[in-house]
Amino acid sequence: MNSVSLSRSLIALSIGLAAAPLLQAEGWKENSALPNLKNFGLTGSIPENLTGKVVLVDFWATWCTPCKASFPVMDELQKQYGTNGLVIVAVSVDEKKSEMEKYLKKNPVSFVTLHDSSQKLVAAADVATMPTSFLIDRTGKIRFVHTGFEGAKTKADYAKQIESLLK
């Protein structure tokens, strides 16, 4: 067992999580394939066919202020590029699904929102910062990783990257 695996095991044990799934979490990296989202027990309507689409998978939570700031930007991006093949999938890591639903009722969006109630997907992605987004190309490869949200700078980065992948 390497030091990273040992650290994850100790952290997992200290917060009461099963250590085995965390030991396998190598994290999502640029140029690796997006795993099948249907294999993680997510709640919500997962888009049927993401093949050939540019996909932005965003991990967020209602308690995360930068996440809330990113929602209008992602909504604008979905409306602007959706007809060209962009699909945004926001994955809530809120402990209670009701918190996510309450937030979305007050702040409706045009993109897909899912709930990671079992925390399996966020563990597999090895997300340490909220929000964290993964931009996936039409072949299913992760091309860009964003941690945090810096307003206009992040919006410009998203737009430039999305446009390059939609070509």
Side-chain angles (χ1 to χ4, degrees):
M1 182 178 294
N2 64 35
S3 62
V4 173
S5 294
L6 179 59
S7 296
R8 286 187 178 137
S9 295
L10 293 173
I11 291 167
L13 290 172
S14 70
I15 60 174
L17 298 174
L22 292 177
L23 289 173
Q24 297 168 358
E26 295 297 324
W28 296 358
K29 300 188 182 0
E30 288 181 13
N31 296 315
S32 62
L34 176 70
N36 187 338
L37 298 179
K38 294 180 181 182
N39 295 336
F40 293 90
L42 301 170
T43 305
S45 297
I46 298 171
E48 280 303 312
N49 189 2
L50 297 176
T51 305
K53 305 285 186 182
V54 171
V55 182
L56 178 69
V57 177
D58 180 71
F59 289 91
W60 70 287
T62 58
W63 44 260
C64 167
T65 301
C67 299
K68 292 177 187 178
S70 75
F71 262 51
V73 168
M74 290 191 305
D75 195 48
E76 185 180 324
L77 292 170
Q78 180 64 58
K79 289 175 181 173
Q80 182 176 354
Y81 298 108
T83 57
N84 296 324
L86 175 68
V87 177
I88 296 178
V89 179
V91 181
S92 168
V93 299
D94 284 297
E95 188 174 311
K96 296 178 182 176
K97 183 180 176 189
S98 61
E99 291 298 318
M100 177 191 83
E101 291 169 338
K102 181 179 169 185
Y103 177 79
L104 292 172
K105 187 172 184 178
K106 289 182 182 177
N107 304 279
V109 292
S110 60
F111 51 85
V112 174
T113 54
L114 305 171
H115 185 239
D116 189 10
S117 59
S118 63
Q119 305 291 301
K120 289 180 184 177
L121 188 63
V122 73
D126 199 18
V127 171
T129 302
M130 289 291 149
T132 292
S133 299
F134 299 87
L135 191 54
I136 294 96
D137 69 16
R138 292 182 188 270
T139 69
K141 283 190 179 177
I142 297 168
R143 296 291 303 277
F144 301 100
V145 179
H146 292 265
T147 55
F149 181 76
E150 299 174 29
K153 179 190 180 314
T154 302
K155 179 182 178 181
D157 289 345
Y158 278 152
K160 180 180 174 184
Q161 293 164 356
I162 289 166
E163 287 174 10
S164 75
L165 296 176
L166 286 172
K167 288 182 180 177

